[in-house]
Amino acid sequence: MSSFVSATRYYLDRYLQGIPFSGRVIDMGGRRGNTRGSFRPPLDRVACWEFVNKDPSAKPDYLCGVEAVPVKDGGYDWVVFTEVLEYVDDPRAALKECARVLKPGGEIVASIPFLYPVHPDPFDLQRWTPEKLRREFEGAGLRIKELLPRGGIVAVILDLINFYHDAPRLTFGMKLFRVIFVRVAPFFLWFDRGTRYKESLTTGYLIRAVKP
């Protein structure tokens, strides 16, 4: 990992890089040209990769919320819905919209933080347990294929430290610590692989589901 952003982003990037995206992809809440993390849309492997966002600075194809997107039913092979659920006022409506735009047999790749600091954009509204994720996805007509934790207790601690030292008005000592921290943090992620209780002590969850 060339530049440490966060443990939660590290695990998300690794997961996305292993997804066999193809056909038509719609990125709900994504940002065109977003450089956060190491994942980049594999444009050479897909027919299109379109973005939905209500923020004009994201340069989306569809300037709107994720609860109602002006596209036809069943038009996409993949939905990307990462780091969005925590911000949505009506998550069930958003998940139903994801299901609506998917072709039968199409898949959604999603993520949500769990033991992670509050990060408003503009509001941070919720954290969900695995049971809540299963209920909401299935209630929206999506069958979960994978529900994975994003790291364990080491990753949680790294992100808490990282978030605190990313605050404004840092002292010189804190700035120096930050410089050192971003260089050694990836090393500690190696130890995170062997930690236990990841199902309940984790930075967040990765979900892959299919529209039957």
Side-chain angles (χ1 to χ4, degrees), residues 3 9 24 31 39 42-43 61 68 74 80 82 90 104 112 125 127 141 160 173 185 194-195 202 205:
S3 179
R9 176 63 58 169
R24 293 174 52 81
R31 306 180 69 88
F39 175 75
L43 300 180
D61 298 277
V80 177
T82 57
D90 191 344
I112 188 172
L125 301 174
R127 299 289 183 271
L160 293 177
T195 57
T202 182
Y205 297 99

Side-chain angles (χ1 to χ4, degrees), residues 12-130:
L12 174 58
D13 285 342
R14 286 184 61 190
Y15 190 68
L16 290 174
Q17 287 160 4
I19 298 295
F21 291 112
S22 62
R24 293 174 52 81
V25 183
I26 189 164
D27 195 332
M28 299 285 209
R31 306 180 69 88
R32 189 182 304 279
N34 183 13
T35 58
R36 184 171 175 81
S38 61
F39 175 75
R40 300 292 180 273
L43 300 180
D44 58 326
R45 291 196 279 112
V46 299
C48 71
W49 192 292
E50 298 177 344
F51 294 88
V52 176
N53 203 303
K54 59 184 178 182
D55 180 0
S57 70
K59 302 178 181 179
D61 298 277
Y62 303 100
L63 183 62
C64 60
V66 296
E67 298 92 341
V69 184
V71 298
K72 67 179 183 179
D73 295 357
Y76 294 89
D77 301 280
W78 290 88
V79 168
V80 177
F81 197 49
T82 57
E83 308 302 89
V84 178
L85 272 170
E86 66 267 34
Y87 302 124
V88 179
D89 284 306
D90 191 344
R92 178 66 68 89
L95 287 171
K96 285 185 176 180
E97 186 70 349
C98 290
R100 181 187 72 80
V101 305
L102 276 174
K103 299 176 180 178
E107 297 191 43
I108 176 174
V109 180
S111 68
I112 188 172
F114 185 60
L115 294 178
Y116 192 79
V118 174
H119 50 293
D121 188 22
F123 304 106
D124 188 351
L125 301 174
Q126 57 234 338
R127 299 289 183 271
W128 286 0
T129 62

Side-chain angles (χ1 to χ4, degrees), residues 135-167:
R135 292 185 183 188
E136 292 297 325
F137 274 74
E138 291 170 4
L142 297 162
R143 179 174 58 82
I144 289 182
K145 295 175 61 177
E146 289 182 327
L147 177 52
L148 306 173
R150 279 193 281 182
I153 187 62
V154 174
V156 171
I157 293 171
L158 286 175
D159 277 354
L160 293 177
I161 295 173
N162 186 48
F163 188 87
Y164 178 77
H165 285 89
D166 202 26

